[in-house]
Amino acid sequence: MEVFTLLEIDTRYAIENATDEAALEAARIGALGKNGWLTNALKSLGSMSPDERKIQSPIVNALKERITAEIAAKKADLGDKALDARLNTETVDVTLPVREAPAEMGRVHPISQVIDELTAIFADMGFAVAEGPDIETDDYNFTKLNFPEGHPAREMHDTFYFNPKPDGSRMLLRTHTSPVQVRTMLTQKPPIRVIIPGRTYRSDSDQTHTPMFHQVEGLVIDKGSHLGHLKWILEEFCKAFFEVDAVKMRFRPSFFPFTEPSLEVDIQCRRDKGEIRFGEGEDWLEILGCGMVHPNVLRNCGLDPNEYQGFAWGMGIDRIAMLKYGMPDLRPFFEADVRWLSHYSFRPLDFPTLAGGLSA
Ligand code: DAH
């Protein structure tokens, strides 16, 4: 009895003074754990004589009830306190502005946006998208496109070459998307109608040139394709891309080894205080090169020039992006400056579509 009284006092003291659930649990284990004093007392009832048990059993069981009730009460008390403390610290200020989710903050780079826009326009006219590698052979980048060895047009491309291979040939970073014309003609049977957007490289850098830039090539090969088709396609493209009802275009004679005749295309515009407007004004702005695919190129790609003919064009994507969205300098396109990006980039879920508006 004496012993139980002291143990009970001890245990109740520990329960009362427990400041958290761990301390309370320690007090419970001391009394009612596997080896707790009260558990042992309950166990010892079994080995008592019936008379002795009759006396001791109510005492020990009452003790157990008291302590169990005390622990439960303290537990509830601690729980309430913990909840109160959490509620006090975890306040939500509903007047604060909502922070944008990461998916909302991401932006689409203007080049990706413009590639999506022009793909939507040409897809609507029935063009498929073709792609090729950035690292090309000299053969596909130049020779098969009718650039003879040593021809000055090769030098004009400021090519980045890789070290020569043991056989003397050199890979290069493609200087234009035109080698994918070759790849397409070698693998597809006409009629061919593809556009080829992609990265291109030349050793050149100033306000309107970066060593890596983007082009979109177009290629149409069929039996009766002619310059009239090309003109219509380019006009329709420019109207849709610049989102104007009319554009005036000027086709000037030019030279490319892989086309005959070759043309350069300007669009009419008005420059006013750093702003450019299309479909009006007195200025002309060059936007692309084009022409009828040279019979030598068709032949080099296994097509008979007496059976097939076609046209092609190559346009600077960065150039038309700058014109449409009014960026004065090309270099920041590739500097990954978040301030520039957040100003000029596009919201990821605003897909350009012809129905929904390209730059909506
Ligand atoms: N590849 C030419 C360049 O980068 C552009 C070009 C001109 C592509 C005429 C063509 C074309 O397909 O027909 O300067």
Side-chain angles (χ1 to χ4, degrees):
M1 279 301 296
E2 283 286 296
V3 178
F4 281 167
T5 311
L6 284 178
L7 286 168
E8 184 182 0
I9 291 171
D10 227 31
T11 300
R12 295 183 114 173
Y13 181 81
I15 292 170
E16 231 155 75
N17 289 293
T19 51
D20 56 20
E21 302 231 346
L24 181 62
E25 180 65 3
R28 189 193 66 79
I29 289 171
L32 285 163
K34 236 183 180 174
N35 250 326
W37 61 268
L38 192 47
T39 307
N40 287 337
L42 285 159
K43 274 191 217 152
S44 68
L45 291 176
S47 56
M48 287 176 189
S49 67
D51 287 347
E52 205 179 348
R53 192 183 309 133
K54 221 177 195 167
I55 302 166
Q56 290 296 341
S57 180
I59 297 172
V60 176
N61 277 306
L63 199 53
K64 184 190 166 191
E65 256 164 47
R66 284 202 298 279
I67 287 186
T68 306
E70 194 123 334
I71 289 172
K74 184 70 181 182
K75 197 166 190 157
D77 184 38
L78 283 178
D80 287 350
K81 286 213 174 98
L83 186 60
D84 284 348
R86 263 185 66 191
L87 289 175
N88 278 333
T89 53
E90 290 181 8
T91 51
V92 176
D93 183 349
V94 292
T95 64
L96 284 175
V98 180
R99 194 190 300 160
E100 280 182 304
E104 280 292 307
M105 285 158 67
R107 287 289 180 271
V108 175
H109 192 282
I111 294 296
S112 306
Q113 168 81 12
V114 164
I115 289 175
D116 288 350
E117 290 181 12
L118 59 88
T119 304
I121 297 168
F122 284 118
D124 189 53
M125 294 190 218
F127 282 80
V129 174
E131 285 181 312
D134 291 12
I135 297 173
E136 261 300 358
T137 61
D138 188 277
D139 186 38
Y140 283 7
N141 196 80
F142 291 127
T143 313
K144 282 211 167 34
L145 288 168
N146 199 34
F147 286 78
E149 295 283 350
H151 192 282
R154 289 192 179 220
E155 258 103 85
M156 283 167 60
H157 275 219
D158 299 313
T159 313
F160 287 115
Y161 284 99
F162 289 85
N163 290 333
K165 292 201 243 186
D167 67 4
S169 66
R170 285 187 297 176
M171 299 296 280
L172 48 83
L173 289 173
R174 65 179 180 192
T175 56
H176 49 179
T177 40
S178 306
V180 191
Q181 284 190 28
V182 175
R183 290 176 175 273
T184 307
M185 285 188 269
L186 285 173
T187 53
Q188 289 180 29
K189 275 177 72 95
I192 293 172
R193 227 179 291 152
V194 289
I195 56 156
I196 305 150
R199 293 197 183 100
T200 48
Y201 305 83
R202 289 184 203 180
S203 179
D204 204 352
S205 183
D206 61 33
Q207 194 173 344
T208 52
H209 296 88
T210 49
M212 188 278 298
F213 57 105
H214 299 80
Q215 287 190 339
V216 58
E217 192 87 8
L219 176 69
V220 172
I221 304 284
D222 208 336
K223 291 191 171 160
S225 308
H226 56 72
L227 281 181
H229 297 146
L230 172 66
K231 257 186 96 173
W232 181 84
I233 289 171
L234 294 175
E235 274 179 18
E236 288 304 304
F237 169 76
C238 286
K239 282 194 289 184
F241 180 76
F242 292 110
E243 300 177 56
V244 290
D245 293 332
V247 278
K248 278 225 177 109
M249 303 179 81
R250 183 167 76 176
F251 290 73
R252 279 183 292 111
S254 182
F255 171 80
F256 302 103
F258 38 93
T259 43
E260 182 57 40
S262 302
L263 311 152
E264 271 174 328
V265 179
D266 305 327
I267 49 175
Q268 195 171 49
C269 64
R270 185 158 58 94
R271 278 182 249 226
D272 195 12
K273 297 188 208 92
E275 208 187 304
I276 299 183
R277 295 197 161 278
F278 297 100
E280 51 184 283
E282 294 307 312
D283 265 347
W284 293 96
L285 215 109
E286 185 197 321
I287 55 161
L288 62 95
C290 60
M292 295 301 292
V293 178
H294 197 293
N296 286 349
V297 176
L298 293 171
R299 228 173 272 122
N300 291 341
C301 298
L303 296 175
D304 179 0
N306 293 318
E307 191 180 0
Y308 292 110
Q309 62 181 31
F311 50 83
W313 71 88
M315 188 162 36
I317 292 180
D318 319 78
R319 185 62 170 315
I320 60 170
M322 288 169 77
L323 289 175
K324 181 168 180 180
Y325 293 112
M327 297 91 157
D329 192 329
L330 181 58
R331 289 163 296 192
F333 272 68
F334 311 117
E335 282 171 356
D337 181 332
V338 282
R339 293 163 302 180
W340 189 91
L341 288 171
S342 63
H343 184 76
Y344 285 114
S345 295
F346 294 82
R347 301 181 75 82
L349 295 175
D350 294 342
F351 303 116
T353 65
L354 292 176
L358 290 171
S359 54

